[in-house]
């Protein structure tokens, strides 16, 4: 089912009625950012956007909201566009278990059509624009950023592909945000300890499976490319940039090559973030861009980010739920049923679990907070019974309203770690965290009157299938 | 030299002109790294009209928190 490249996926979206091409002239500001915001306001089934006539540019094309809806996420996985989220989650988890799938190495790449080696001016090469009005500048925010572990450069799995916010600060100068929870921050620390610059590549306009994996909190020594192969069901195509050991997605529209400068920090931001707040200005690392490759007439992919839900939330939804689910299942294989960690990238997580004995659900909640992703997120963990669908918020609210007893079922753990972008953390990066146990008490807990739960009528499952088939026609 | 609407530095530089001549210009400030396009509203491009709560004081810039902090070099510990 693999998509050859970014354009191949856009073609699929077009055929499925999930791509809206805007040929009327638009202004870079405020139209592009505003459209990115608006398309998520109007629907959770919204199409991708392709702008082909941007004021002041010749032939520039900007794509946004490419996986910014559940239908587009389903199409990314090669599933029917109206596949329910819970089915997308379980299919994603099933494919996840096929990891690793070795990559396919290519001898050349389409983005080698144009190579710029000197006088790089990103403002001339890319149709850059401001997204939210008080952003500190123009950002590149959906590039796959590739770097190698300087202490183990031959280890393919430790090569990282991640998505970080990138501010364009000069003609060949970028700012990057590697918060300490990010793998690239580990690479940068090792390079800076040696006094060396960290070579990196940025790939813009990739087919969506690698961007989804780049945004997934997978293990440090796991390869995003080998996981992309598992998710797409065939080897992922990579190309090694000449003169480097950096493997980049073969189908990228644009590739920037450069290095993060050792020991340099520079003012960056603010940027409108996925928390729905501006980040404030901080002193962050700097990238010097040495070379640019791009296809002729490349498509610049950009992502609107702001108060949820935006494309970010669709992109980091299922791919955050699944690793947490797998890590919790490692600890409790017979109990964990499903994990919904798609609210503000998992600052809120909902876990459906069976119970072995009274108090068990609270232990599940605490384990969630100590998973690799939970260390930076999981400020509120809601634990529900195995019969509650964590992706069905009315069911979750029902569990909270009937199963949770405030005197017994609220656990607050003080001063744990959280990502510094959480606007409520104080100091930045530290917060109390809370578990709400909304599971049915079991022995030795005896409180409440839960002995006569209401079942669905006997043939409900059969009718669900009938209706789904009818709706798919 | 142009004044930065955000930090009022007078060192802002022209970094791009629109490929279609005369549509717009882009400036960037080497002090606070603010970037703006000439076609944006005055509340973005005019130093007197830029939202005060988003203004940047040049004196605060060297004191901004480092994310991530610069580690010591190996052998210097």
């Amino acid at each position: 089912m693999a998509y050859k490249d970014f354009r191949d996926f856009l073609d699929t979206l077009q055929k499925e009625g999930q791509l809206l091409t805007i040929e009327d002239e638009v202004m870079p500001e405020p139209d592009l950012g505003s459209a990115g915001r608006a398309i998520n306001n109007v629907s959770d089934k919204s199409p991708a956007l392709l702008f082909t006539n941007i004021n002041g540019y010749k032939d520039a094309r900007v794509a946004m909201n490419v996986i910014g809806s559940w239908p587009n996420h389903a199409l990314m996985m090669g599933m029917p566009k109206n596949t329910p989220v819970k089915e997308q989650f379980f299919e994603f988890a099933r494919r996840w278990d096929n990891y690793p799938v070795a990559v396919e190495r290519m001898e050349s790449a389409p983005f080698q059509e144009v190579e710029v080696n000197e006088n790089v001016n990103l403002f001339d090469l890319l149709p850059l624009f401001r997204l939210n009005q008080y952003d500190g500048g123009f950002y590149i925010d959906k590039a796959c950023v590739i770097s190698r572990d300087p202490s183990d450069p031959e280890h393919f799995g430790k090569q990282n592909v991640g998505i970080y916010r990138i501010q364009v600060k000069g003609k060949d100068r970028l700012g990057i945000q590697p918060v300490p929870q990010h793998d690239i921050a580990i690479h940068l620390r090792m390079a800076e300890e040696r006094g060396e610059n960290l070579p990196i590549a940025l790939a813009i306009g990739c087919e969506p499976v690698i961007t989804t994996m780049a945004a997934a909190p997978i293990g440090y020594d796991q390869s995003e490319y080998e996981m992309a192969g598992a998710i797409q069901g065939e080897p992922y195509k990579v190309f090694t940039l000449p003169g480097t050991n950096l493997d980049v997605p073969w189908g990228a529209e644009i590739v920037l090559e450069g290095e993060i400068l050792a020991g340099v920090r520079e003012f960056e931001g603010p940027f409108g973030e996925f928390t729905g707040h501006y980040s404030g200005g901080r002193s962050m690392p700097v990238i010097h861009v040495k070379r640019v490759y791009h296809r002729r007439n490349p498509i610049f992919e950009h992502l609107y980010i702001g108060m949820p839900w935006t494309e970010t939330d669709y992109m980091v939804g299922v791919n955050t739920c699944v690793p947490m689910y797998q890590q919790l299942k490692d600890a409790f294989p017979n109990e964990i049923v499903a994990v919904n960690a798609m609210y503000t990238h998992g600052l809120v997580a909902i876990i459906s679990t069976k119970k072995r004995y009274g108090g068990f659900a609270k232990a599940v909640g605490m384990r969630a907070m100590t998973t690799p992703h939970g260390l930076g997120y999981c400020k509120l963990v809601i634990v529900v019974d195995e019969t509650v669908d964590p992706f069905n918020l009315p069911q979750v609210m029902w569990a909270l309203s009937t199963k949770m007893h405030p005197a017994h079922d609220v656990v607050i753990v003080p001063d744990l770690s959280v990502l510094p972008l959480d606007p409520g953390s104080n100091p930045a990066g530290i917060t109390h965290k809370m578990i709400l146990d909304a599971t049915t008490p079991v022995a030795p807990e005896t409180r409440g009157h839960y002995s006569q739960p209401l079942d669905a009528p006997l043939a409900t499952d059969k009718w669900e299938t009938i209706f789904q088939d009818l709706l798919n026609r | 030299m142009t004044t930065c609407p955000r930090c009022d530095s007078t060192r802002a530089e022209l970094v791009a002109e629109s490929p279609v001549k005369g549509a717009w210009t882009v400036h960037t400030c080497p002090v606070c790294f603010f970037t703006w396009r000439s076609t944006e509203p005055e509340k973005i491009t005019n130093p007197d009209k830029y939202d005060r709560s988003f203004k940047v004081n040049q004196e605060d810039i060297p004191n901004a928190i480092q994310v991530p902090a610069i580690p010591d070099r190996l052998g210097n510990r």
Side-chain angles (χ1 to χ4, degrees):
Chain A
M1 62 134 275
Y3 295 101
K4 187 163 66 83
D5 56 19
F6 188 59
R7 299 176 190 203
D8 189 18
F9 185 60
L10 292 184
D11 286 345
T12 296
L13 294 179
Q14 175 77 43
K15 284 177 199 142
E16 295 281 347
Q18 287 294 125
L19 178 70
L20 194 60
T21 301
I22 292 123
E23 295 172 347
D24 292 340
E25 185 181 76
V26 298
M27 294 299 291
E29 300 86 14
D31 285 329
L32 293 172
S34 305
R37 167 75 270 177
I39 196 68
N40 292 134
N41 290 348
V42 298
S43 171
D44 64 354
K45 297 183 169 59
S46 57
L49 306 173
L50 181 63
F51 297 91
T52 60
N53 185 357
I54 302 162
N55 175 270
Y57 289 103
K58 293 175 185 167
D59 302 326
R61 291 185 287 174
V62 172
M64 299 182 78
N65 207 48
V66 169
I67 42 175
S69 64
W70 292 124
N72 287 20
H73 190 275
L75 292 169
M76 181 268 291
M77 294 183 65
M79 302 175 82
K81 69 178 182 180
N82 57 359
T83 305
V85 179
K86 191 168 73 168
E87 280 184 39
Q88 295 189 43
F89 165 82
F90 280 115
E91 178 61 12
F92 201 100
R94 187 189 69 75
R95 296 185 196 177
W96 186 279
D97 287 337
N98 295 331
Y99 175 87
V101 173
V103 297
E104 180 180 355
R105 294 189 172 277
M106 308 297 283
E107 296 298 316
S108 62
F111 60 74
Q112 291 178 292
E113 282 180 337
V114 180
E115 184 176 340
V116 181
N117 286 313
E118 52 190 23
N119 299 322
V120 168
N121 185 347
L122 297 170
F123 294 99
D124 287 341
L125 292 168
L126 305 173
L128 300 166
F129 58 94
R130 189 187 316 283
L131 210 54
N132 283 302
Q133 60 180 338
Y134 292 113
D135 289 349
F138 303 166
Y139 274 78
I140 298 168
D141 67 354
K142 203 181 179 188
C144 290
V145 181
I146 296 104
S147 58
R148 288 266 185 176
D149 180 324
S151 69
D152 197 2
E154 302 306 315
H155 192 299
F156 185 72
K158 290 182 183 175
Q159 176 173 237
N160 183 56
V161 186
I163 295 186
Y164 311 102
R165 77 185 211 199
I166 309 274
Q167 182 182 352
V168 182
K169 304 172 88 173
K171 292 177 179 178
D172 58 0
R173 198 171 181 87
L174 306 170
I176 182 168
Q177 176 182 253
V179 302
Q181 284 87 359
H182 291 157
D183 287 351
I184 197 173
I186 298 171
H187 292 180
L188 179 62
R189 191 190 74 234
M190 291 174 181
E192 290 191 312
E193 284 175 342
R194 296 155 182 248
E196 297 171 358
N197 294 345
L198 181 70
I200 63 161
L202 283 71
I204 302 169
C206 302
E207 58 69 45
V209 171
I210 195 59
T211 36
T212 300
M213 291 325 309
I218 69 173
Y220 176 71
D221 59 358
Q222 287 185 311
S223 164
E224 286 81 3
Y225 292 125
E226 292 178 342
M227 190 65 85
I231 299 298
Q232 73 178 16
E234 61 183 83
Y236 197 79
K237 289 185 173 63
V238 298
F239 172 71
T240 307
L241 277 187
T244 80
N245 63 351
L246 299 171
D247 300 307
V248 300
W250 171 82
E253 293 282 318
I254 302 155
V255 173
L256 315 183
E257 183 192 322
E259 50 191 15
I260 304 182
L261 305 177
V264 177
R265 299 290 185 272
E266 230 174 45
F267 196 72
E268 190 269 4
F271 184 58
E273 274 285 358
F274 70 95
T275 61
H277 295 77
Y278 285 99
S279 63
R282 303 203 173 112
S283 202
M284 296 210 196
V286 173
I287 299 167
H288 173 228
V289 178
K290 297 192 290 190
R291 187 174 287 108
V292 177
Y293 300 91
H294 65 84
R295 293 177 72 153
R296 289 201 182 86
N297 195 15
I299 304 172
F300 181 62
E301 189 187 16
H302 208 324
L303 166 150
Y304 178 78
I305 185 168
M307 193 179 90
W309 272 51
T310 71
E311 178 178 7
T312 312
D313 301 284
Y314 295 100
M315 188 170 81
V316 300
V318 172
N319 71 358
T320 301
C321 300
V322 168
M324 277 198 65
Y325 166 74
Q326 305 287 19
Q327 289 152 9
L328 285 168
K329 274 186 87 70
D330 284 345
F332 309 117
N334 299 314
E335 288 81 19
I336 301 299
V337 174
V339 176
N340 177 357
M342 61 172 64
Y343 294 98
T344 321
H345 203 178
L347 281 174
V348 174
I350 307 162
I351 301 164
S352 168
T353 181
K354 299 172 188 165
K355 290 94 47 189
R356 288 186 211 161
Y357 33 70
F360 185 80
K362 294 180 180 69
V364 170
M366 286 187 276
R367 177 69 189 102
M369 290 175 181
T370 59
T371 59
H373 187 70
L375 293 173
Y377 296 81
C378 292
K379 189 164 61 172
L380 168 58
V381 181
I382 301 169
V383 192
V384 296
D385 287 328
E386 69 271 29
T387 50
V388 172
D389 175 359
F391 297 98
N392 183 326
L393 292 193
Q395 284 188 17
V396 174
M397 294 307 289
W398 166 77
L400 281 172
S401 45
T402 59
K403 311 278 187 179
M404 195 205 70
H405 191 309
H408 303 280
D409 293 330
V410 179
V411 179
I412 294 179
V413 188
D415 294 325
L416 296 185
S417 59
V418 74
L419 85 163
L421 284 175
D422 174 13
S425 63
N426 186 18
I430 294 293
T431 185
H432 288 20
K433 293 188 175 181
M434 180 163 70
I435 299 164
L436 296 180
D437 179 356
T439 60
T440 311
V442 293
E445 288 183 314
T446 55
R447 60 190 170 71
H449 303 282
Y450 296 109
S451 62
Q452 293 181 322
L454 183 59
D455 279 353
L458 284 177
T460 302
D461 287 349
K462 181 185 86 175
W463 279 95
E464 273 187 25
T465 307
I466 292 170
F467 288 135
Q468 241 178 30
D469 287 347
L470 286 171
L471 290 168
N472 276 336
R473 283 179 194 170
Chain B
M1 296 298 176
T2 306
T3 302
C4 170
R6 187 168 73 165
C7 76
D8 299 318
S9 150
T10 54
R11 294 171 52 198
E13 298 164 356
L14 179 78
V15 287
E17 295 182 71
S18 51
V20 177
K21 293 294 174 204
W24 40 255
T25 54
V26 174
H27 281 75
T28 189
C29 169
V31 176
C32 76
F33 301 99
F34 185 66
T35 301
W36 71 98
R37 196 184 316 268
S38 59
T39 44
E40 294 191 80
E42 269 207 296
K43 63 193 278 198
I44 303 296
T45 60
N46 182 334
D48 296 330
K49 296 184 177 176
Y50 200 81
D51 188 315
R52 300 206 67 76
S53 65
F54 283 92
K55 279 272 195 183
V56 169
N57 185 338
Q58 292 181 41
E59 293 170 6
D60 294 338
I61 292 174
N63 302 320
I65 295 169
Q66 289 184 359
V67 177
I70 300 172
D72 289 340
R73 294 231 181 142
L74 292 174
N76 288 352
R77 290 176 179 167

Short mmCIF file of all heavy atoms in Angstrom, two decimals, chain A residues 331-366:
data_model
loop_
_atom_site.label_atom_id
_atom_site.label_comp_id
_atom_site.label_asym_id
_atom_site.label_seq_id
_atom_site.Cartn_x
_atom_site.Cartn_y
_atom_site.Cartn_z
N ALA A 331 3.96 -4.34 30.58
CA ALA A 331 3.86 -4.50 32.03
C ALA A 331 2.63 -5.34 32.41
O ALA A 331 2.69 -6.14 33.34
CB ALA A 331 3.79 -3.13 32.70
N PHE A 332 1.52 -5.13 31.73
CA PHE A 332 0.25 -5.77 32.09
C PHE A 332 -0.40 -6.39 30.86
O PHE A 332 -1.44 -5.91 30.38
CB PHE A 332 -0.69 -4.73 32.72
CG PHE A 332 -0.08 -3.93 33.84
CD1 PHE A 332 0.06 -2.55 33.73
CD2 PHE A 332 0.35 -4.55 35.01
CE1 PHE A 332 0.62 -1.80 34.75
CE2 PHE A 332 0.91 -3.79 36.05
CZ PHE A 332 1.05 -2.42 35.91
N PRO A 333 0.20 -7.46 30.31
CA PRO A 333 -0.27 -7.98 29.01
C PRO A 333 -1.70 -8.50 29.02
O PRO A 333 -2.35 -8.51 27.98
CB PRO A 333 0.74 -9.10 28.70
CG PRO A 333 1.37 -9.44 30.00
CD PRO A 333 1.37 -8.20 30.81
N ASN A 334 -2.17 -8.96 30.15
CA ASN A 334 -3.51 -9.57 30.18
C ASN A 334 -4.61 -8.57 30.52
O ASN A 334 -5.78 -8.92 30.50
CB ASN A 334 -3.54 -10.71 31.20
CG ASN A 334 -2.56 -11.81 30.83
OD1 ASN A 334 -2.50 -12.22 29.68
ND2 ASN A 334 -1.77 -12.24 31.79
N GLU A 335 -4.24 -7.35 30.84
CA GLU A 335 -5.25 -6.40 31.31
C GLU A 335 -5.51 -5.23 30.37
O GLU A 335 -6.65 -4.83 30.17
CB GLU A 335 -4.86 -5.85 32.69
CG GLU A 335 -4.99 -6.83 33.83
CD GLU A 335 -3.81 -7.79 33.93
OE1 GLU A 335 -2.75 -7.46 33.37
OE2 GLU A 335 -3.95 -8.87 34.53
N ILE A 336 -4.43 -4.66 29.79
CA ILE A 336 -4.60 -3.42 29.03
C ILE A 336 -5.40 -3.70 27.76
O ILE A 336 -5.08 -4.61 26.99
CB ILE A 336 -3.22 -2.82 28.66
CG1 ILE A 336 -2.41 -2.53 29.92
CG2 ILE A 336 -3.39 -1.56 27.81
CD1 ILE A 336 -3.01 -1.55 30.88
N VAL A 337 -6.44 -2.90 27.51
CA VAL A 337 -7.31 -3.10 26.35
C VAL A 337 -7.03 -2.06 25.26
O VAL A 337 -6.88 -2.40 24.09
CB VAL A 337 -8.80 -3.05 26.77
CG1 VAL A 337 -9.72 -3.12 25.56
CG2 VAL A 337 -9.10 -4.19 27.74
N ALA A 338 -6.99 -0.80 25.61
CA ALA A 338 -6.74 0.25 24.62
C ALA A 338 -6.31 1.52 25.35
O ALA A 338 -6.61 1.70 26.54
CB ALA A 338 -7.98 0.53 23.78
N VAL A 339 -5.59 2.39 24.62
CA VAL A 339 -5.11 3.65 25.19
C VAL A 339 -5.45 4.80 24.25
O VAL A 339 -5.13 4.74 23.06
CB VAL A 339 -3.57 3.62 25.41
CG1 VAL A 339 -3.07 4.96 25.91
CG2 VAL A 339 -3.19 2.51 26.39
N ASN A 340 -6.11 5.80 24.78
CA ASN A 340 -6.38 7.02 24.02
C ASN A 340 -5.56 8.15 24.63
O ASN A 340 -5.93 8.69 25.68
CB ASN A 340 -7.88 7.34 24.06
CG ASN A 340 -8.19 8.65 23.34
OD1 ASN A 340 -7.28 9.33 22.86
ND2 ASN A 340 -9.46 9.01 23.26
N ALA A 341 -4.43 8.46 24.00
CA ALA A 341 -3.56 9.53 24.50
C ALA A 341 -3.49 10.64 23.46
O ALA A 341 -2.42 11.19 23.18
CB ALA A 341 -2.17 8.99 24.82
N MET A 342 -4.63 10.98 22.87
CA MET A 342 -4.61 11.93 21.75
C MET A 342 -5.13 13.30 22.13
O MET A 342 -5.41 14.10 21.26
CB MET A 342 -5.35 11.35 20.55
CG MET A 342 -6.80 11.04 20.78
SD MET A 342 -7.61 10.58 19.24
CE MET A 342 -6.77 9.07 18.81
N TYR A 343 -5.22 13.58 23.43
CA TYR A 343 -5.65 14.93 23.81
C TYR A 343 -4.45 15.76 24.21
O TYR A 343 -3.76 15.44 25.18
CB TYR A 343 -6.74 14.87 24.89
CG TYR A 343 -7.95 14.24 24.26
CD1 TYR A 343 -8.23 12.90 24.42
CD2 TYR A 343 -8.72 14.97 23.35
CE1 TYR A 343 -9.27 12.30 23.74
CE2 TYR A 343 -9.76 14.38 22.66
CZ TYR A 343 -10.02 13.05 22.85
OH TYR A 343 -11.03 12.47 22.15
N THR A 344 -4.19 16.81 23.41
CA THR A 344 -3.04 17.69 23.58
C THR A 344 -1.77 16.83 23.74
O THR A 344 -0.99 16.98 24.67
CB THR A 344 -3.25 18.66 24.76
OG1 THR A 344 -4.61 19.09 24.75
CG2 THR A 344 -2.38 19.90 24.61
N HIS A 345 -1.62 15.93 22.76
CA HIS A 345 -0.45 15.05 22.63
C HIS A 345 -0.26 14.17 23.86
O HIS A 345 0.87 13.80 24.20
CB HIS A 345 0.82 15.87 22.35
CG HIS A 345 1.89 15.06 21.68
ND1 HIS A 345 3.10 15.61 21.30
CD2 HIS A 345 1.96 13.77 21.33
CE1 HIS A 345 3.85 14.68 20.75
NE2 HIS A 345 3.18 13.56 20.75
N GLY A 346 -1.33 13.84 24.56
CA GLY A 346 -1.21 12.93 25.69
C GLY A 346 -1.04 13.62 27.03
O GLY A 346 -0.74 12.96 28.02
N LEU A 347 -1.21 14.96 27.09
CA LEU A 347 -1.25 15.59 28.42
C LEU A 347 -2.41 14.99 29.20
O LEU A 347 -2.37 14.89 30.42
CB LEU A 347 -1.38 17.12 28.29
CG LEU A 347 -0.08 17.85 27.95
CD1 LEU A 347 -0.33 19.33 27.69
CD2 LEU A 347 0.95 17.70 29.07
N VAL A 348 -3.47 14.60 28.48
CA VAL A 348 -4.54 13.79 29.06
C VAL A 348 -4.52 12.43 28.35
O VAL A 348 -4.45 12.37 27.13
CB VAL A 348 -5.92 14.45 28.85
CG1 VAL A 348 -7.02 13.51 29.34
CG2 VAL A 348 -6.00 15.77 29.58
N ALA A 349 -4.54 11.36 29.14
CA ALA A 349 -4.58 10.01 28.56
C ALA A 349 -5.72 9.22 29.21
O ALA A 349 -5.99 9.39 30.41
CB ALA A 349 -3.25 9.29 28.79
N ILE A 350 -6.37 8.40 28.41
CA ILE A 350 -7.47 7.57 28.91
C ILE A 350 -7.10 6.11 28.63
O ILE A 350 -6.77 5.77 27.49
CB ILE A 350 -8.79 7.93 28.19
CG1 ILE A 350 -9.05 9.44 28.30
CG2 ILE A 350 -9.95 7.14 28.79
CD1 ILE A 350 -10.05 9.97 27.29
N ILE A 351 -7.12 5.29 29.65
CA ILE A 351 -6.68 3.90 29.52
C ILE A 351 -7.82 2.97 29.90
O ILE A 351 -8.43 3.12 30.96
CB ILE A 351 -5.49 3.61 30.45
CG1 ILE A 351 -4.33 4.55 30.10
CG2 ILE A 351 -5.04 2.15 30.34
CD1 ILE A 351 -3.26 4.62 31.17
N SER A 352 -8.11 2.03 29.02
CA SER A 352 -9.12 1.01 29.29
C SER A 352 -8.41 -0.26 29.73
O SER A 352 -7.53 -0.76 29.04
CB SER A 352 -9.93 0.78 28.01
OG SER A 352 -10.72 -0.37 28.13
N THR A 353 -8.79 -0.78 30.88
CA THR A 353 -8.07 -1.93 31.44
C THR A 353 -9.00 -2.86 32.22
O THR A 353 -10.00 -2.42 32.80
CB THR A 353 -6.93 -1.47 32.37
OG1 THR A 353 -6.23 -2.60 32.87
CG2 THR A 353 -7.44 -0.67 33.56
N LYS A 354 -8.62 -4.13 32.26
CA LYS A 354 -9.24 -5.06 33.21
C LYS A 354 -8.53 -4.86 34.56
O LYS A 354 -7.47 -4.24 34.62
CB LYS A 354 -9.06 -6.50 32.73
CG LYS A 354 -9.71 -6.77 31.38
CD LYS A 354 -9.33 -8.15 30.86
CE LYS A 354 -9.81 -8.33 29.42
NZ LYS A 354 -9.18 -9.49 28.76
N LYS A 355 -9.11 -5.42 35.63
CA LYS A 355 -8.50 -5.28 36.95
C LYS A 355 -8.21 -6.66 37.54
O LYS A 355 -9.01 -7.59 37.39
CB LYS A 355 -9.44 -4.55 37.92
CG LYS A 355 -9.64 -3.08 37.63
CD LYS A 355 -10.85 -2.80 36.80
CE LYS A 355 -12.11 -3.50 37.23
NZ LYS A 355 -13.19 -3.33 36.21
N ARG A 356 -7.09 -6.79 38.21
CA ARG A 356 -6.81 -8.04 38.91
C ARG A 356 -7.42 -8.02 40.31
O ARG A 356 -7.83 -9.03 40.84
CB ARG A 356 -5.31 -8.25 39.06
CG ARG A 356 -4.63 -8.59 37.77
CD ARG A 356 -3.16 -8.92 38.04
NE ARG A 356 -2.35 -8.54 36.90
CZ ARG A 356 -1.05 -8.37 36.94
NH1 ARG A 356 -0.40 -8.52 38.07
NH2 ARG A 356 -0.39 -8.02 35.86
N TYR A 357 -7.42 -6.83 40.94
CA TYR A 357 -7.88 -6.69 42.32
C TYR A 357 -8.05 -5.20 42.59
O TYR A 357 -7.64 -4.36 41.77
CB TYR A 357 -6.85 -7.31 43.29
CG TYR A 357 -5.41 -7.17 42.83
CD1 TYR A 357 -4.79 -5.93 42.80
CD2 TYR A 357 -4.71 -8.27 42.35
CE1 TYR A 357 -3.50 -5.79 42.34
CE2 TYR A 357 -3.41 -8.13 41.88
CZ TYR A 357 -2.81 -6.89 41.89
OH TYR A 357 -1.54 -6.73 41.42
N GLY A 358 -8.63 -4.89 43.73
CA GLY A 358 -8.87 -3.49 44.09
C GLY A 358 -7.57 -2.69 44.08
O GLY A 358 -6.54 -3.18 44.56
N GLY A 359 -7.60 -1.49 43.55
CA GLY A 359 -6.42 -0.62 43.50
C GLY A 359 -5.56 -0.81 42.26
O GLY A 359 -4.66 -0.01 42.01
N PHE A 360 -5.89 -1.83 41.47
CA PHE A 360 -5.06 -2.15 40.30
C PHE A 360 -5.05 -1.00 39.27
O PHE A 360 -4.00 -0.65 38.72
CB PHE A 360 -5.58 -3.43 39.64
CG PHE A 360 -4.74 -3.91 38.50
CD1 PHE A 360 -3.58 -4.63 38.74
CD2 PHE A 360 -5.11 -3.66 37.19
CE1 PHE A 360 -2.81 -5.08 37.69
CE2 PHE A 360 -4.34 -4.10 36.13
CZ PHE A 360 -3.18 -4.82 36.38
N ALA A 361 -6.22 -0.41 39.06
CA ALA A 361 -6.31 0.64 38.03
C ALA A 361 -5.41 1.82 38.37
O ALA A 361 -4.85 2.45 37.46
CB ALA A 361 -7.76 1.10 37.88
N LYS A 362 -5.27 2.10 39.65
CA LYS A 362 -4.40 3.23 40.04
C LYS A 362 -2.94 2.91 39.68
O LYS A 362 -2.17 3.79 39.30
CB LYS A 362 -4.56 3.52 41.52
CG LYS A 362 -5.96 4.04 41.87
CD LYS A 362 -6.09 4.33 43.36
CE LYS A 362 -7.48 4.84 43.70
NZ LYS A 362 -8.54 3.81 43.56
N ALA A 363 -2.56 1.64 39.83
CA ALA A 363 -1.19 1.24 39.46
C ALA A 363 -0.99 1.39 37.95
O ALA A 363 0.07 1.83 37.49
CB ALA A 363 -0.93 -0.20 39.88
N VAL A 364 -2.01 1.07 37.17
CA VAL A 364 -1.93 1.26 35.71
C VAL A 364 -1.71 2.74 35.40
O VAL A 364 -0.89 3.11 34.55
CB VAL A 364 -3.21 0.73 35.03
CG1 VAL A 364 -3.25 1.15 33.56
CG2 VAL A 364 -3.30 -0.78 35.15
N GLY A 365 -2.43 3.60 36.12
CA GLY A 365 -2.28 5.05 35.90
C GLY A 365 -0.87 5.51 36.21
O GLY A 365 -0.28 6.31 35.47
N MET A 366 -0.30 4.98 37.30
CA MET A 366 1.07 5.40 37.66
C MET A 366 2.09 4.87 36.65
O MET A 366 3.06 5.55 36.33
CB MET A 366 1.39 4.94 39.08
CG MET A 366 0.67 5.80 40.11
SD MET A 366 1.14 5.46 41.81
CE MET A 366 0.09 4.07 42.16
#
